[in-house]
Amino acid sequence: MEERIATLRRILDESSYTVALCGSGMMEEGGYIGVKNPDKAYDIEKKYGYSPEEIFTSAFYNTRPKLFFDFYKQEMLNGGPEPTESETVLEKMEQDGKLQCIITSNIYELCQRSGCKNVIELHGSIYHNICQRCGREYPVEYIKQAHGIPVCEDCQIPIRPGLFFFREMADSQLVTQAVEEINRAEVLLLLGTNLNSEVFSHYIKYFQGKYLVIIHQRSHYLDDNADMVFIDQPKNILSRLGYL
Ligand SMILES: [Zn+2]
């Protein structure tokens, strides 16, 4: 194991351009299970009468905002993940010029809260909420503390969370940016995700670099297509690279 970690360190040190993809495993190690997790999705459907995929859509937000916000506040804003050693290492790597870009599917700004700068958020962020009529921005605390539906103080209409809903297309500019970064990468790190990822698989096919490395707690048969695989939580491997 030590030898493999040393090999990974050498690959990262020699890389001229490294990009990290951060998936749901990064939230899990930060203490939060995403609403699409099968067990959690089942509980949600029992509790609300609809699946997370049904509730977290623009149709639902527009037509049943009360239930939408009950779900959003209770299941997504309440007890979200905290950054771990993983993000601390990524921040240090970025500072040292060992990591050029982070592309994430998490909406909790885990990397930014640890100081990372160049982060592409494919699914948006819970911290940016706007009134779609007047453009006024609201902090996440305003959403959390609102009784029932959080509305714009000026316009009295529901505030739109700064996230992409399920089945909503990501911003095309973000998609282009992510593709360009991956295309440019010499080393691609898959952290808390794998080649089967619903979010990232479309992007990974643009990778033309030298090393594709997976660090994820669950193995998958597609792992064979990577150059290096560590079946573990990202923090357990990243913290042993010696960057801190
Ligand atoms: Zn407004």
Side-chain angles (χ1 to χ4, degrees), residues 72-85:
Y72 180 55
K73 287 193 273 186
Q74 189 58 38
E75 311 299 334
M76 295 177 73
L77 296 185
N78 183 25
E82 291 300 319
T84 68
E85 257 185 301

Side-chain angles (χ1 to χ4, degrees), residues 1 215-218 230-234 236-237 240:
M1 189 61 167
I215 310 177
H216 191 33
Q217 45 271 66
R218 286 180 293 279
F230 296 86
I231 304 301
D232 205 339
Q233 292 197 314
N236 294 338
I237 303 299
R240 288 165 69 183

Side-chain angles (χ1 to χ4, degrees), residues 130-138 151-159:
I130 59 157
C131 168
Q132 285 183 304
R133 186 169 296 162
C134 70
R136 181 166 165 188
E137 286 206 33
Y138 288 89
V151 296
C152 175
E153 286 174 342
D154 301 323
C155 310
Q156 300 301 316
I157 62 165
I159 293 165

Side-chain angles (χ1 to χ4, degrees), residues 133-147:
R133 186 169 296 162
C134 70
R136 181 166 165 188
E137 286 206 33
Y138 288 89
V140 68
E141 287 71 27
Y142 185 85
I143 309 283
K144 284 184 184 172
Q145 285 158 13
H147 293 288

Side-chain angles (χ1 to χ4, degrees), residues 8-21 89-90 93-94 96-103 118 120 178 180-191 207 209-213 215 238 241 243:
L8 176 57
R9 168 77 197 227
R10 187 174 44 77
I11 287 171
L12 292 169
D13 281 347
E14 288 172 3
S15 168
S16 62
Y17 207 91
T18 297
V19 172
L21 303 183
V89 174
L90 295 179
M93 287 175 68
E94 192 183 52
D96 292 352
K98 300 290 177 202
L99 177 64
Q100 278 63 44
C101 181
I102 296 166
I103 301 171
N118 195 18
I120 298 175
E180 280 172 5
E181 290 290 343
I182 288 170
N183 193 246
R184 201 177 157 187
E186 189 176 318
V187 175
L188 187 63
L189 287 175
L190 271 63
L191 306 175
F207 177 63
K210 281 192 198 159
Y211 295 104
L212 197 151
V213 181
I215 310 177
L238 293 173
L241 287 168
Y243 283 115

